[in-house]
Each structure stands twice: as structure tokens, then as C-alpha cells.
Amino acid sequence: MFEMPSGAEIQSIISTLKGGAGYFIPEIYLSVLFMVLILLDLVTGKKNRGLLATATIAGLLGSVYFIFKQQTMPDVQFFFGMYALDRFGIFFKYFFVASGILAVLTTMVDDQLKKHESGMGEYYALLVAMVVGMMMMASSTDLLMMFLAMELVSLSAYAMTGYLKREPRSSEAALKYLVYGAVSSGMLLYGFSLIYGMTAETNITRISMVLAAHGYDPLVMILTVLLIMAGLGYKMGAVPFHFWSPDVYEGAPTPVTAYLSVASKAAGFAMLMRFFFVAVPHGFDMYVSPLHIDWLSILMLVSAASMIYGNVVAIWQKNVKRLLAYSSIAHAGYLLLGIITMDQLGTQAVLVYLAAYLLMNYGAFYVVILIANHTGSENLDDYKGLGKRMPLLGAALTVFLISLVGLPPTFGFIGKLMIFSALLAKGSLFMWLALIGILTSVISLYYYMLIPLNMYLRESNTPEEGVITTGMGAKIVTASLMILTLWFGLFFQPIANYAKYSTAIFGAFLN
Amino acid sequence: MLSLIVFLPIIAGLVILAVPSSQKQIIRIVSLLAALAQGVLAVLIWRQYDPTMAGIVAAPGGSPVGSFQMIERISWISLDLGSFGPLNIEYFLGVDGLSITMVLLTALISIIGVLSSWPIQKQVKGYFILYNLLSTAMMGCFVALDFFLFYVFWELMLLPMYFLIGIWGGPNREYAAIKFFLYTLFGSVFMLLVMIGLYFSVTDPLTGHHTFSLVAMADQANYIKGAILGPDSVTWRYVAFIVLFVGFAIKVPMFPFHTWLPDAHVEAPTPISVILAGVLLKLGTYGMMRINFPLFPEVYQAGLYVIGVFGAINIIYGAFCALAQQDLKKMVAYSSISHMGYVLLGLAAANTEGMIGALYQMFNHGTITAMLFLLVGVIYDRAHSRQIDKFGGLASYMPVYTGIVIVAWFASLGLPGLSGFISEALVFVGAFTAPVTRPIAMVSVLGIVFGAAYLLWSLQRMFLGKRKPDALYDLEVDADGHEHIHFHDWKGKLDLDARELTMLIPLVIIVIALGIYPMPVMGLLTASINKLVQVLAPVAMSAVH
């Protein structure tokens, strides 16, 4: 029965919350930014797009300061163990802020959104809300908090997907996303409630302790793991929870597609790592039964299926956004490889791969947007002969695609190198997965190269027009992303070291 | 010095980037200057090189860089991987007899390639940027002594090559370009896995850390017992050897992985064919000699027979295919397959003669095939066709051209006095000496006969005899009764012009000179080959285990 807490208890709760707030400053700051953006949209006139975008970027950049200040703080769990401040979370905070800034930059150049009649105030506000939600997904240590964070991300994402109200494709995408999202949230919640039923705990560290101390019914555990995997797999866009992604990616405004494919996927991975590494760290190898399936074996299958399905189906795509959607399913598969190894090196590789994916995938989408501004479509056929008409953008897109394939000297290669190193460091155990990964990346070369093939090797159907001009800002952004993709392909030491530093918190849980 | 020779072309590429694309002549001249400077550097390296030092592997307890020369070695990436110790990637360049031969060849072919690219009019800027990128990657592959660095250069070749075939190639270029790309990538992704596996299996004797250094990997004493590619992991070592071998064999190209080559050659523009046949194919056999064999000597010894058989198939199958071709360029492409078979046969002999023959054949094939493709390009420029049966009696109208064709054709079929003879003879001496390859060598000799057949037959059909009724050129008889031929819409000189002679004459000189006195090149590689044979010998291995 629920009892009214006494005054002293309330006092202590308040003081705990006050103490915790000190560790929660970036999130508080961004929530304030969210409200400021809505207010700013209200008080300024209709032609406030540039102002809002600048304010969002400035605001997000400001949060870097607060995150930086957290780096010197000790690792703590606060808010009654609901939330953690640690290096792993900080890595992802930087990651999400960077992806938020890139999302604003891509939005600024997108013609579709520029022409959107009813203003962009809510859009930028939702974008910031999503950054907060993703940060919380990466840092939550409590089942309830995890669920809330994921819902915050999902709800913002639904609205952003359907932001082009007059565009039937956009609305359709939003609805599909919502339906799939609702089902998978339900599954996740069901899984969480089963865990709670088994352990009577919601904090993941304590869940782990209870599971280790008291054991569990393997059958229930399998069900739980499958349900949770379904919820997270949806966020990560891994097979067989991928069905929403091609349609949503194609229908959503392209900047939102890029944002979803990088940031929301990364948030799913962050949560997956924290939950499974901490709460169910060693599979359940101690309970061998005929029905024995541990979460690692499930992940292996999911990973293999994602790599194969994503890469093979992408071959037949005629629309570049759809092509990149399928490729992002495949990349989820590669990323899972790093988690499967269950060790420091694999986790480090995942973070490096995510950083690479941020740069190269954003780069690719950025150029795709710039091209769509001129051709009005994302069809492969309309890319014919573009290489000559836009030398810088063409070269940059080629670099991003090469990086997505994983060829040196690009950052994407380093990501693959680290992932495969982590697999082979385990000896021949994961050789079959490495082989699938390697062979599917050869397949991926074929479809990624379809884009340069059309741009450079084929002549345009309509022999017209000279060089396509883009704004200086767009050129600078493209060139910087390209240079970073190449630079980190040759000198990846700082990022790899930082990734290692960030994964150190799992030291005790991994082998 | 080595860094300079590797990165000069890329610097030229950056300079070209700043030149407006309308200034075609400046772009060409910058590229030519870079290639010439590379040539000068190659000669300087050649003069400085001490041929008595062997390279290949570090002496036990000796310097970790072995007797390699012109070493450049700095730490490039150093990461802490926790329980796996630090990840060390080095920027490690150096030359020994294997690589200096190839460095000289690459520098030479690069200059010829630039000259041969002169007439290209389409997107000159893009072309030369990619050309220079390719040039850097090729040179880098030959001097890299860190597997990671080698791999980066190796993969870096693919993209420029794809575009050079795909944009400037013939009608079926899309197919040829992507086929080349997919085939080579398919080979090299497995190389990536083997590279990682080797990294976890080898330690640097000095530091005790894992290393990508090929010098350390070439010493079996540095392998860790129990590691995935350690000395006791027999199965995986066989698997690793085979996938590495396939990766390199695709590049050679070895039957049955050769099908990309005729397509690529037929579609590629002349200079790219020259580079492809002159240098790129050598990377396959170089990779075998530098990486594949010394790292897994026991598997190599076990597989000699198989390698030899594939060599023989290449020789004979390539010759047969060449015999059947109507397209002159396709014939030359298949002749490349046939001639690279000699290299494989020499490698299968596993003795000094065979190995020297193989490496020398790589050099000679580079120069001779470059000539062949240049000569095919000459006739294609004029007639816009390469159909052998559409020509006839060219000798009487293009005497200089025919003269050089005869030198090149005879060098290719291995006429004594020309360089190809010496290397092929050495390969056969080696192959006959070794008991394993003796029966294979007997069969392979037939290849020489077929080689003579397709070369002489094409020579006869195109250059000798009378003009064919449906020939691709017209004859005009002037008042004095002299016959003049002219090709449709060809405005230039009928016989070779100055630029074409500049490319061909040096090659003619080299082919003849090295046929008479091979020591300038052979002297470079003897010490290294001796060492390599020693490293690969079963005796050396039993000493380790």
C-alpha cells in the first residue's frame, strides 16, 4: 500500500535531487535551450529561419562547455541510481551534440525544408529534444529511465519525420514509424517488466547482482532478452527489426533521415551496450538447458542477417536515400560485431566505428541533399554526368562512399579494421562472422560505386547546364567533412584512444 | 629519399588541383616533371644501392630493419589496446633487391605513361590527378615494409584505376571497370583478415609487442605459439596462405582468376594498359615474394607443385587464348597472362635460378609489354580499330613502326639476344633443376612454341604480305607511281612521330641492352634472391621449429 512519505523523507528526496542536479547540467541546459527555441520562434517573425538555426547551433556548441566540465567529475550514479555520469555517457554526449549540429547544418541547406511554409521553430526545438533524449538513453542506468529516454527520442523523431505536412510520403513515413515504434516500445516495456518481475529491481547494476546471486529461469530469460532486443533492434535498425527503415528513410525529409540513421542508431547501440554489458554481462552460460540461447548468440544471428540482408538488398535500389537506408541496416550489422566480442577492444571498435559513421554518413547525406536541391530527386538516374558539373561535391561524395565501403585511407576503413581486429583477437571463434563481414563489404562496393558510376562514367540524359554552384558555406562543410574522413583514416590515434578511455567503465563486466 | 619518390606524384597532383582545367598543357607538363623527377630519384637510389646487401629478413639478433637500405622508419600510429598491448603501425619504407628492381621499373613506366597520355583531351585535369595518385600508390606498394602501410597503398590503387578505366576507357568500360574493382577487392579483403591475424601472431623481437613489420614477419622465430597463425596452427596457416595467394593471384592474374584482365585491357586507354601490364600485374607476384611465401614458407614448400601447375596452365592457356584473338590488344593481354605464367613457374621452382628468372621476367615483361601496348595504341590511334585481319602489308608503308614492332614481338617470344630470352631461359633452368617442377617445365616449354605462333602469325597477317581488300586504310598512287596510305580521319604523321619515338626508343634500348648484358638489373637482385631462397628452404624452417 502506498503511504504518504513523511516530511523528513520528502526533505531527503529533495536534497538528493538537488545533489544529483549538479551532474545533470548538460541535460538541463539543453532542456532550457529547447524552451528558448520555442519562445524565440514565437517572438520573432516568420522569416526567422536563419536566426533559429544559428541559435540552435550556438546553443548546442554551448553545451560542449558543460560536457567538457563533466570530464573532470568522478563517475557517479545519481537520482537514486537512475542515471549515471561516466566516460561512456560523456563520449555519447559529445557524439549527439556533434550529430545535432550536423543535423542543423544539413537542414539549413535543404530546399524542401526551406520552402516549408509553417516555420521551423518546432523542428529545431524537437531536434534539441532528441539530443537530450539520446544523451539520456546513453546514460540511464535504470529501466524506467531508459524507457522514458527512448520514448522522448521516438516521439521527437516521429514528429520530425512527418514534418513536411503537405508531402504524402513524409506523412506516410511518420505513420509507419509511429506504428512500428509503438509496437517495439511495447515489447521493450514487456521485457523490462519481466526483468523487474524476476529481480524486483530496476537499476541495471543491482539487476545484475540479483541475477548472479539468485539465478533465474532460463526460459523466462530468453523471452526477456528477445523482447528487449526487439525494442532496441528497432532503434538500431537491425534485421529483423528493420522493416520501417527503408520507407521512413525515403519519406522523411533528408536531414531527418541522416539524423535518424546516425544519431538515433548510435543511441540504440549505447543503450544496448550499457544494458547488456551491465545487467546481463555474461549471457547465461551457467544455465545450460536444451533451450539455451544466450543474448550473444541472438546478437550474432542478428548481426549476420543485417550484414547480408542490408548489403544484398541495397544492390537493387534505384533511389539513393533507399540505398543508404539499406546500407545503414548493414552498418548496424558491422557495429554489432564489435559488441559480440564482449571485450574492451570490441567496445572500443564500436565507438570508433560510430565516429566514422557519423562523419561519412552525414557527409554522404549532405551531398545528396545538395544534389537534390538542383535535380529535385534522389534517383540514381538523375546522378548521371553530375561529376563534371560539381567537381568538389562529386569528389567528396566519392570519398564518403569509399569510406562507407571501408577502403583505406578513410575513417571507415579504420572502423572496419578495428571491428575485424576485435573479432580475430578472439582466435578462430568468430571467423565465420568476420568472413560474412568481409564478403558483404565486397558486395557493398558494388552498390556504393553505382553512385560514382552514374556521376562520372555516364553522360547526362539532358545535355545541358554547366557547373552547378553551391553556396560557400555548403562547400566549406562538405570539404571539412571530407578532410576529416581522410584525416582520421590516416591518423586515428586520438579518436581510438578516446574511445578506449570511454569504454573503461565496462572493465569489470567485460572479459 | 624513398618518401620523396613515393609522394612526388601526389604533390604534383595537388599542384594540378590548383591549375585551372583549361590549362591542359601546364597540367601535362607538371605531371611529366614529376615523373621525370621520380626517374632521377630512381636512378639516384639505384646508384646508392649496395647490391651485396640482401634484405628480405632481419638477421637473428641483428638490426630489426635487417639489411634493407634507405630505411625510413617512424612510428605512425600507436594505440593502447588494453590486454592486447599497444597497436603499433609504422611508416616503414626500405628497399632490397626485390623492391629496387620494381622501383626502377615503376619509375620508367610512369614516365612512359605520362608521355603516352599526352593526346588525351577529355577532362585532362581529372585524368592526371588520378594518374598521379595511382603512381604514388604503386611506388608505395613496392617500398612499404609495414603490412598495414602496404595494404593502404594496395587499396589506394583501386579507386584511381577504376576511374581511369571507367571514364577514359572504351565502349564497354563500365563493365570492365567494376569487374576490375570487384575482383581485386575480393582478393584484398581476405588479405585484410590475414593481415590482422598475422598481427596477433607476430611479435617484434626487440620490443616484444605485436607488429605489422614485414621484416619481423618474415622470420618464423617471431611467431607466437598458440596464436591464430602461430607455428602450431597448421590449418589456419594453410588457409591464410591460400587466401593471400588468391588475393595476389587475382592481380597476377592467374588462371582461373584472370577474366578481368582482357576486359580491363581492351577497355582501358593505352597509357593505362601500359601501367596495368607494366606495373600492376607485377604487384601480384611481388606480393607473393615479399609477403605470401616468406611468411608461410612451409605451406609454400608444400604447394610448389600446385603453383607450378597453375603457372603452366597460365602459360599454355594464355597462349592458346592469344592465338584465338581477333583483337590485337586482346591478344597482347592474353600474352601477358601467358608470360606471367613463367613468373609463377619460376617461383614454383624454389631455387635461385628459378627465382632470379621470375623476378627478372617481371622486369622484362614490364618493359616488353609496355612496348606491345604502346604499339597497339599507335595503330589504334590511326585506324580506330585493332582487328588483326583488317590490316595487311603495313611494313612497306610504316617501316619504323614495323621495325619496333619486330623488336617487341621477338622480345616477347623470347628471341636470344633480347631481354625476354634470358629470364625465360633462367626460369626453365630453375624449373628443370627442381625435381618437383621438372614434369611441369616439360609441358610448359610448349608455351614457347604457341607464343611464337601467335606472335609470328599476327606479325605476318598485319605487317607482311599485301594490302587486304577491306583494309582499314586507303591507298593513293601519286604521279611517280609511289603508293601512299592514309587512315580515315587521321591527320598526324603516318609513321611514328617524335613523341611516340621518345616513348619507344628507350624501351627498345633497354630490351636489347638487357638481352646482351643483363647484369645492371640482375646484379641488383641476386643477393636478395639467394637470401629469399634460403629463407624459404625447408632446412631453414626445421632449424626454427
Side-chain angles (χ1 to χ4, degrees):
Chain A
M1 279 294 113
F2 185 75
E3 281 174 46
M4 275 300 283
S6 69
E9 275 171 334
I10 293 176
Q11 282 300 323
S12 98
I13 289 172
I14 289 175
S15 72
T16 317
L17 288 178
K18 265 190 194 160
Y23 302 113
F24 201 58
I25 291 174
E27 287 87 346
I28 295 174
Y29 167 83
L30 286 171
S31 308
V32 172
L33 178 66
F34 166 77
M35 289 180 265
V36 168
L37 284 172
I38 292 180
L39 284 178
L40 198 63
D41 184 43
L42 285 176
V43 295
T44 54
K46 271 282 166 206
K47 301 219 174 283
N48 56 2
R49 290 199 165 81
L51 174 72
L52 281 174
T54 323
T56 315
I57 291 188
L60 286 171
L61 279 175
S63 70
V64 172
Y65 169 74
F66 295 107
I67 303 171
F68 183 75
K69 269 186 36 179
Q70 288 191 328
Q71 279 193 316
T72 50
M73 297 182 186
D75 291 359
V76 281
Q77 285 195 5
F78 53 94
F79 292 159
F80 308 101
M82 285 208 146
Y83 205 80
L85 168 66
D86 51 33
R87 302 157 176 189
F88 184 73
I90 290 175
F91 177 93
F92 278 99
K93 282 175 193 169
Y94 282 128
F95 185 92
F96 295 132
V97 168
S99 64
I101 292 172
L102 283 167
V104 179
L105 288 174
T106 45
T107 307
M108 285 167 81
V109 294
D110 188 79
D111 270 0
Q112 260 189 320
L113 285 172
K114 258 186 218 161
K115 293 189 192 111
H116 187 58
E117 68 273 23
S118 52
M120 295 294 288
E122 299 92 342
Y123 180 91
Y124 287 119
L126 286 169
L127 197 151
V128 172
M130 211 166 137
V131 171
V132 180
M134 292 185 297
M135 283 182 176
M136 288 165 66
M137 275 178 80
S139 301
S140 300
T141 49
D142 187 280
L143 300 182
L144 286 175
M145 200 66 182
M146 282 179 165
F147 182 73
L148 285 178
M150 198 160 132
E151 283 305 288
L152 175 55
V153 174
S154 299
L155 291 174
S156 316
Y158 303 146
M160 284 172 82
T161 306
Y163 206 74
L164 297 170
K165 281 169 239 159
R166 295 286 164 86
E167 186 82 35
R169 278 200 310 173
S170 176
S171 310
E172 185 197 327
L175 189 61
K176 272 189 182 155
Y177 197 21
L178 173 72
V179 171
Y180 277 106
V183 173
S184 68
S185 296
M187 292 205 202
L188 183 79
L189 202 56
Y190 195 7
F192 280 171
S193 55
L194 282 176
I195 281 220
Y196 181 72
M198 281 193 285
T199 60
E201 289 289 352
T202 54
N203 177 288
I204 53 173
T205 324
R206 285 203 296 272
I207 287 174
S208 158
M209 288 191 295
V210 174
L211 285 179
H214 301 294
Y216 42 79
D217 183 344
L219 203 66
V220 178
M221 196 60 174
I222 291 164
L223 192 62
T224 312
V225 164
L226 279 174
L227 287 168
I228 294 174
M229 205 81 87
L232 290 171
Y234 154 82
K235 267 272 161 280
M236 298 184 296
V239 174
F241 318 107
H242 64 280
F243 289 105
W244 59 277
S245 74
D247 292 337
V248 171
Y249 281 19
E250 189 186 352
T254 319
V256 177
T257 309
Y259 196 36
L260 291 181
S261 74
V262 176
S264 136
K265 189 186 288 280
F269 273 96
M271 203 162 124
L272 178 95
M273 283 192 273
R274 197 185 279 276
F275 179 77
F276 279 108
F277 286 169
V278 176
V280 211
H282 297 296
F284 12 95
D285 32 7
M286 40 197 158
Y287 287 85
V288 183
S289 73
L291 276 168
H292 170 84
I293 318 169
D294 60 87
W295 64 270
L296 275 179
S297 318
I298 300 173
L299 269 195
M300 281 186 213
L301 293 179
V302 169
S303 162
S306 303
M307 289 187 288
I308 295 171
Y309 179 84
N311 280 320
V312 171
V313 178
I315 294 176
W316 290 280
Q317 301 309 315
K318 299 273 172 258
N319 178 296
V320 175
K321 272 165 84 177
R322 265 190 109 78
L323 189 148
L324 289 172
Y326 281 102
S327 101
S328 109
I329 296 174
H331 282 285
Y334 293 119
L335 282 160
L336 284 174
L337 290 179
I339 297 177
I340 287 163
T341 58
M342 276 293 279
D343 61 12
Q344 169 96 57
L345 185 55
T347 320
Q348 181 188 3
V350 172
L351 299 200
V352 173
Y353 200 104
L354 279 172
Y357 192 61
L358 172 74
L359 285 178
M360 61 200 184
N361 213 35
Y362 252 109
F365 272 112
Y366 196 76
V367 180
V368 167
I369 290 171
L370 291 174
I371 291 174
N373 285 348
H374 287 277
T375 61
S377 96
E378 284 108 14
N379 284 332
L380 261 178
D381 275 346
D382 296 320
Y383 278 59
K384 280 182 186 160
L386 280 179
K388 259 183 288 183
R389 295 173 56 203
M390 25 180 271
L392 172 73
L393 296 184
L397 184 53
T398 311
V399 168
F400 298 134
L401 294 171
I402 282 300
S403 180
L404 284 164
V405 180
L407 291 182
T410 58
F411 201 8
F413 167 65
I414 302 305
K416 287 235 165 85
L417 175 84
M418 303 232 6
I419 294 267
F420 289 126
S421 299
L423 283 180
L424 291 195
K426 293 279 183 194
S428 48
L429 190 59
F430 297 119
M431 193 62 87
W432 64 280
L433 278 173
L435 281 178
I436 292 177
I438 282 287
L439 288 175
T440 49
S441 49
V442 177
I443 297 175
S444 78
L445 174 83
Y446 176 78
Y447 65 78
Y448 283 126
M449 285 315 277
L450 285 176
I451 298 172
L453 176 89
N454 278 291
M455 285 200 305
Y456 289 101
L457 272 57
R458 291 187 177 156
E459 297 294 329
S460 168
N461 305 333
T462 44
E464 24 121 28
E465 311 123 60
V467 174
I468 293 176
T469 49
T470 37
M472 204 48 180
K475 274 188 182 158
I476 292 171
V477 173
T478 316
S480 330
L481 284 172
M482 173 172 74
I483 291 167
L484 284 176
T485 305
L486 290 171
W487 179 261
F488 287 126
L490 293 170
F491 306 98
F492 55 96
Q493 206 165 331
I495 287 206
N497 277 335
Y498 186 57
K500 171 161 188 290
Y501 170 83
S502 307
T503 54
I505 59 150
F506 295 123
F509 299 104
L510 302 175
N511 36 39
Chain B
M1 188 95 131
L2 289 180
S3 290
L4 199 57
I5 199 172
V6 170
F7 290 107
L8 252 178
I10 245 182
I11 296 167
L14 291 175
V15 172
I16 291 171
L17 209 54
V19 177
S21 45
S22 54
Q23 299 292 327
K24 295 184 179 174
Q25 203 62 16
I26 295 179
I27 291 170
R28 294 185 186 117
I29 289 170
V30 170
S31 301
L32 182 61
L33 286 177
L36 285 173
Q38 233 188 348
V40 171
L41 279 172
V43 171
L44 286 177
I45 291 171
W46 181 38
R47 300 309 308 164
Q48 273 185 32
Y49 181 78
D50 174 2
T52 57
M53 285 165 75
I56 305 287
V57 66
S63 146
V65 296
S67 50
F68 281 87
Q69 298 175 51
M70 277 154 265
I71 302 282
E72 288 173 34
R73 191 182 200 201
I74 46 169
S75 175
W76 174 15
I77 309 257
S78 179
L79 281 183
D80 186 14
L81 292 187
S83 55
F84 301 99
L87 172 81
N88 285 310
I89 302 173
E90 287 168 318
Y91 177 78
F92 183 11
L93 306 179
V95 286
D96 63 359
L98 297 184
S99 31
I100 191 155
T101 323
M102 292 297 115
V103 166
L104 289 172
L105 178 70
T106 309
L108 175 71
I109 300 294
S110 295
I111 300 173
I112 303 220
V114 175
L115 284 172
S116 156
S117 308
W118 222 260
I120 280 174
Q121 293 297 335
K122 185 180 169 189
Q123 299 175 52
V124 177
K125 184 172 172 177
Y127 177 88
F128 278 104
I129 290 174
L130 290 169
Y131 181 91
N132 282 309
L133 194 59
L134 179 65
S135 182
T136 286
M138 293 186 306
M139 196 59 100
C141 265
F142 286 125
V143 295
L145 289 178
D146 184 276
F147 204 159
F148 187 89
L149 187 62
F150 175 88
Y151 188 80
V152 169
F153 282 128
W154 177 274
E155 296 280 66
L156 192 59
M157 281 185 304
L158 302 184
L159 192 66
M161 203 63 193
Y162 169 80
F163 282 122
L164 287 168
I165 297 174
I167 301 180
W168 290 272
N172 202 11
R173 51 183 203 257
E174 276 181 20
Y175 171 75
I178 197 70
K179 193 171 178 184
F180 163 81
F181 209 160
L182 284 175
Y183 248 100
T184 358
L185 187 73
F186 179 77
S188 58
V189 286
F190 288 108
M191 199 190 297
L192 175 68
L193 286 189
V194 175
M195 178 177 97
I196 297 169
L198 281 167
Y199 177 79
F200 287 119
S201 310
V202 177
T203 50
D204 190 318
L206 279 189
T207 58
H209 298 315
H210 292 300
T211 177
F212 279 113
S213 159
L214 286 170
V215 183
M217 285 179 180
D219 187 350
Q220 295 301 314
N222 295 335
Y223 285 73
I224 310 164
K225 279 226 163 59
I228 182 155
L229 294 175
D232 45 354
S233 172
V234 178
T235 318
W236 285 114
R237 279 178 69 84
Y238 269 75
V239 171
F241 178 88
I242 292 167
V243 297
L244 262 189
F245 186 75
V246 169
F248 290 125
I250 287 173
K251 206 81 165 185
V252 169
M254 185 185 86
F255 177 89
F257 309 111
H258 65 283
T259 59
W260 63 269
L261 182 84
D263 287 314
H265 267 312
V266 169
E267 303 305 328
T270 304
I272 301 312
S273 284
V274 170
I275 297 268
L276 188 58
V279 182
L280 251 64
L281 306 190
K282 281 28 176 214
L283 272 162
T285 39
Y286 173 80
M288 290 178 189
M289 294 170 91
R290 166 75 64 217
I291 299 172
N292 203 356
F293 300 164
L295 269 48
F296 304 97
E298 81 283 9
V299 194
Y300 163 69
Q301 288 293 344
L304 289 181
Y305 188 75
V306 181
I307 300 172
V309 167
F310 275 113
I313 294 177
N314 253 39
I315 295 173
I316 293 174
Y317 175 80
F320 269 129
C321 289
L323 205 51
Q325 296 311 315
Q326 289 298 314
D327 183 326
L328 187 63
K329 202 170 187 184
K330 234 176 176 162
M331 187 200 87
V332 174
Y334 277 108
S335 90
S336 270
I337 295 178
S338 179
H339 284 105
M340 292 308 284
Y342 293 112
V343 180
L344 288 173
L345 183 62
L347 293 178
N351 50 24
T352 315
E353 299 87 342
M355 287 274 189
I356 292 183
L359 186 52
Y360 195 41
Q361 169 76 357
M362 280 156 67
F363 186 87
N364 290 336
H365 178 257
T367 49
I368 295 169
T369 313
M371 275 171 88
L372 297 179
F373 278 112
L374 287 173
L375 291 164
V376 173
V378 166
I379 197 72
Y380 184 74
D381 282 346
R382 285 157 174 72
H384 305 299
S385 169
R386 299 176 299 241
Q387 290 296 310
I388 296 176
D389 55 4
K390 296 275 180 193
F391 297 92
L394 282 175
S396 48
Y397 312 109
M398 303 171 73
V400 183
Y401 178 60
T402 311
I404 295 180
V405 164
I406 289 173
V407 174
W409 255 238
F410 279 101
S412 182
L413 66 81
L415 188 79
L418 298 171
S419 60
F421 168 72
I422 297 184
S423 46
E424 284 175 24
L426 275 169
V427 164
F428 278 110
V429 169
F432 274 110
T433 319
V436 183
T437 48
R438 194 171 297 144
I440 304 170
M442 287 174 189
V443 181
S444 307
V445 174
L446 287 175
I448 297 195
V449 182
F450 298 128
Y454 65 76
L455 287 162
L456 293 176
W457 193 30
S458 63
L459 194 66
Q460 184 204 347
R461 284 191 289 170
M462 288 183 73
F463 295 91
L464 308 178
K466 286 213 165 59
R467 174 179 186 269
K468 287 181 183 149
D470 58 342
L472 282 162
Y473 55 88
D474 294 325
L475 277 182
E476 277 172 13
V477 185
D478 66 9
D480 305 329
H482 294 300
E483 287 180 332
H484 298 277
I485 74 167
H486 63 86
F487 293 103
H488 307 292
D489 51 79
W490 170 250
K491 304 282 186 296
K493 204 175 165 214
L494 182 63
D495 213 336
L496 297 176
D497 63 20
R499 181 184 59 86
E500 288 159 346
L501 283 173
T502 327
M503 298 186 289
L504 287 164
I505 296 290
L507 289 173
V508 170
I509 294 173
I510 289 171
V511 166
I512 296 176
L514 289 179
I516 298 166
Y517 185 66
M519 285 323 282
V521 173
M522 210 166 325
L524 292 174
L525 48 87
T526 318
S528 294
I529 293 288
N530 277 324
K531 182 81 186 173
L532 180 62
V533 171
Q534 199 186 324
V535 167
L536 296 178
V539 186
M541 287 180 308
S542 58
V544 170
H545 295 300

